[in-house]
Amino acid sequence: MDKYIYDSHMGGYYTSDEPIDFEWLYCEQCGDSDWLIGQASNRAGAKELLWTDEYDNEDYEDSYIKEFIEEEWDE
Ligand SMILES: [Zn+2]
């Protein structure tokens, strides 16, 4: 099953099995919001999304991304 990958405006990635409404992604404290990166059903798909420079995100360490992917997808 696909997981939706989000980049938190506080830093860090997280996933959700369901798409998250914008009102939950938006942070009233700072006016910033988390954003959807994409959907992935396995590690290969997640890698494709997270190891591109296509997104204007903060940079994360490769080790963090690797760990995140291994925790969230079994294969
Ligand atoms: Zn905030």
Side-chain angles (χ1 to χ4, degrees):
M1 193 178 72
D2 276 12
K3 284 186 171 185
Y4 294 80
I5 307 167
Y6 290 88
D7 194 343
S8 168
H9 75 288
M10 304 287 282
Y13 293 127
Y14 61 93
T15 65
S16 171
D17 292 340
E18 303 283 335
I20 300 171
D21 287 342
F22 180 76
E23 61 178 297
W24 292 104
L25 297 175
Y26 178 74
C27 174
E28 282 182 4
Q29 268 96 58
C30 61
D32 206 349
S33 63
D34 300 348
W35 55 95
L36 177 65
I37 294 172
Q39 292 164 254
S41 56
N42 55 34
R43 286 179 179 173
K47 268 181 199 167
E48 232 170 79
L49 286 171
L50 299 178
W51 278 343
T52 69
D53 296 325
E54 199 178 319
Y55 300 96
D56 188 19
N57 291 348
E58 298 165 27
D59 288 323
Y60 296 109
E61 298 283 341
D62 285 358
S63 58
Y64 170 78
I65 297 172
K66 193 167 176 278
E67 227 168 82
F68 171 78
I69 290 173
E70 284 173 2
E71 272 174 22
E72 295 289 342
W73 289 271
D74 295 330
E75 57 183 358

